[in-house]
Amino acid sequence: MTIRNLEAADVARLLKEDAIVLIDVREPPEYAAERIHGALLFPLSTFDPHALPECGGRSVVFHCAAGVRSARALAACRKAGLTHDSHLKGGIQAWKAAGLPTVTVDPATGRTLDRR
C-alpha cells in the first residue's frame, strides 16, 4: 500500500477548497482538548472503515497526533476494500508546527477557542 503523505499546508488548502473530508482518528479526549476545525472524529480504537461518511466526490484524508494511527486507519481501509490513501504527514503536531489554527477548550472557563 502506498500512502500519500500530505503536508499540513496542502491539507489546509484542500480543506479551504472543500476538496477533502478530514478524519481525525485520535481518541475522544485528544479531540476534545484540541482539534483541527472541520475534522470529523472516528477513533482508531473503534474504527470501522464502512462507517465513514459519504464524501460527495471529495477525497478522505486521515490525521492523528503524529501520523502512526492515521497510517493504521489507511491500512484498515485497504483491508476493507476501500481506496483511501492519504494522511496528514506528522499529524496535528505538524499542523501546529506549520502555524495553522486549531480549536481548543480553555480549561479555566470551558469556552471553546476557535483560532481560524
Side-chain angles (χ1 to χ4, degrees):
M1 170 181 77
T2 301
I3 294 177
R4 288 183 57 218
N5 293 299
L6 301 178
E7 298 294 333
D10 295 324
V11 172
R13 177 182 49 79
L14 292 167
L15 272 174
K16 186 175 182 178
E17 294 171 355
D18 199 29
I20 63 169
V21 174
L22 186 61
I23 305 292
D24 186 336
V25 296
R26 297 175 305 146
E27 295 304 310
E30 294 171 285
Y31 183 86
E34 184 171 37
R35 65 186 182 275
I36 296 171
H37 183 81
L40 304 176
L41 180 63
F42 282 81
L44 188 60
S45 63
T46 58
F47 189 72
D48 176 0
H50 295 293
L52 292 169
E54 172 55 44
C55 298
R58 296 178 290 170
S59 297
V60 171
V61 175
F62 293 93
H63 93 83
C64 60
V68 175
R69 287 176 282 180
S70 55
R72 288 182 185 150
L74 285 169
C77 287
R78 287 290 172 111
K79 187 174 181 180
L82 302 176
T83 60
H84 305 310
D85 66 354
S86 302
H87 79 141
L88 170 57
K89 179 182 172 184
I92 197 169
Q93 291 175 6
W95 180 272
K96 293 187 317 183
L100 294 165
T102 59
V103 177
T104 60
V105 174
D106 181 341
T109 65
R111 292 180 56 203
T112 300
L113 306 172
D114 190 350
R115 297 178 179 96
R116 282 189 276 167

